[in-house]
Amino acid sequence: MSAYPIPDNEAERQAALDQQHILDAESDEDFNRITRLASQMLGVPTALISLVDRQRQWFLSRVGLEASETPRDVAFCAHAICSDEVMVVNDASQDERFKDNPLVTGNPSIRFYAGVPLQTPSGFNLGTLCVISPQPRQLAGNEQQLLKDLAGMVIQHIEARRNSYLCSLTGLKNRRPFFDAGLQEFIRAQQKGEPLTLMIFGLDDSHGFYTRFGQQQGDRLLQELARQLQSVFGESALCGRVSDDEFAVLQTSLAGQEAVAKAEGFRSGLALQGWVMEGVRHPLPISLGTACLGSDDTSFKVLFQRAETALKQARLSGTSLPG
């Protein structure tokens, strides 16, 4: 039996959390501002935005706590997400649920806890906005409403972030989330000494295409390119739409030369295939820039800049170039 309660809709709740694409992402000032406000306005040393994952609670933002996550079986928030109401624990050392909890008996010596569920518009509790103190205390009525209001702001920011995460037209990651995920892959590849190749495909005259053939055909072209990218490069690759007319693929499973050859094969195949409308085949000029992870790449940004530079050179020369 689990040491913590499980919400009745746990499978759907977890799926809703996964769909936010926010776990292990870098926090930003919108979230940090809210935790600072919660700590300062309630006069407590610790405030957290906690997301309750399968086996852990992970802190999207934190004030007054060093740890970035804890196991779910010791998380107060694992209890708080089972209700839609504010959960208040005035003195954890006197509460049967928590008095033997290592977060109570040891560091950070929790006594007071108050957590508001972070509920999506669809009714799923992703985690909590919570405040913690090593001193027992009460939560006044106006403080409870304050926490609820701040939790509402957290959900608004999470929803806005999710809506900006995927390109609404192609379903691929937008530029920022592509960079976030690319950074993780970059670090992993460096640590393990594994190959990593970034490819950027650019439509050379997307504006002209839209002008000649209209919005509907232009959108269809972008959607088809996204579909083919995912089909050809598969689940082992990270795909994104990084600008209006540029698609990036981060390939992790092939050595550099193999990945570059695969990318060029994809590009030349698209160019040869063209775009067929009403039985007429129209040219589809596409350029490619690639960059393979090397010892001089000090960051994912450097790798990306090399691939973009190679793409620009390819567009100028009419050839595909490595970075």
Side-chain angles (χ1 to χ4, degrees), residues 203-223:
L203 286 169
D204 291 340
D205 190 22
S206 61
H207 177 72
F209 189 96
Y210 271 87
T211 300
R212 291 193 302 273
F213 304 119
Q215 182 78 33
Q216 184 177 9
Q217 286 294 328
D219 288 351
R220 279 189 56 220
L221 171 61
L222 296 179
Q223 290 168 338

Side-chain angles (χ1 to χ4, degrees), residues 89-314:
V89 179
N90 296 319
D91 186 349
S93 68
Q94 304 301 313
D95 192 300
E96 289 297 323
R97 296 169 296 176
F98 304 112
K99 65 180 184 180
D100 296 322
N101 189 301
L103 301 179
V104 175
T105 59
N107 190 53
S109 302
I110 296 174
R111 293 297 179 267
F112 170 74
Y113 168 94
V116 183
L118 298 174
Q119 188 172 97
T120 69
S122 300
F124 298 111
N125 293 336
L126 306 180
T128 74
L129 170 66
C130 66
V131 290
I132 295 170
S133 173
Q135 304 297 327
R137 61 163 287 182
Q138 306 287 324
L139 189 68
N142 63 328
E143 291 178 328
Q144 187 166 134
Q145 186 58 52
L146 170 64
L147 272 182
K148 288 181 177 180
D149 291 342
L150 292 175
M153 293 171 62
V154 173
I155 280 293
Q156 286 181 341
H157 289 313
I158 288 177
E159 287 290 305
R161 184 165 177 155
R162 181 183 66 83
N163 292 337
S164 66
Y165 187 88
L166 297 179
C167 168
S168 60
L169 182 64
T170 65
L172 298 181
K173 290 180 176 64
N174 284 323
R175 188 180 182 93
R176 175 174 173 175
F178 181 86
F179 258 79
D180 290 342
L183 174 60
Q184 298 302 316
E185 290 295 337
F186 177 88
I187 293 171
R188 184 193 60 77
Q190 276 197 325
Q191 291 175 341
K192 296 187 176 182
E194 295 180 351
L196 190 68
T197 303
L198 178 63
M199 323 157 197
I200 305 180
F201 300 90
L203 286 169
D204 291 340
D205 190 22
S206 61
H207 177 72
F209 189 96
Y210 271 87
T211 300
R212 291 193 302 273
F213 304 119
Q215 182 78 33
Q216 184 177 9
Q217 286 294 328
D219 288 351
R220 279 189 56 220
L221 171 61
L222 296 179
Q223 290 168 338
E224 179 62 18
L225 283 175
R227 186 194 67 78
Q228 291 197 33
L229 278 174
Q230 293 173 305
S231 175
V232 169
F233 292 95
E235 295 182 358
S236 64
L238 175 69
C239 299
R241 185 184 179 193
V242 293
S243 75
D244 288 344
D245 60 359
E246 293 179 5
F247 294 82
V249 177
L250 192 63
Q251 183 74 60
T252 60
S253 60
L254 296 177
Q257 290 183 342
E258 294 177 89
V260 171
K262 186 175 182 179
E264 174 53 26
F266 178 76
R267 184 208 67 80
S268 59
L270 285 176
L272 183 64
Q273 174 183 325
W275 186 253
V276 179
M277 288 191 306
E278 299 178 353
V280 178
R281 189 180 305 276
H282 300 275
L284 191 61
I286 296 178
S287 295
L288 167 66
T290 62
C292 300
L293 179 61
S295 57
D296 292 335
D297 293 316
T298 56
S299 68
F300 180 68
K301 182 179 180 181
V302 171
L303 184 71
F304 193 92
Q305 287 174 338
R306 288 206 295 117
E308 279 210 316
T309 298
L311 175 64
K312 291 177 183 177
Q313 292 173 345

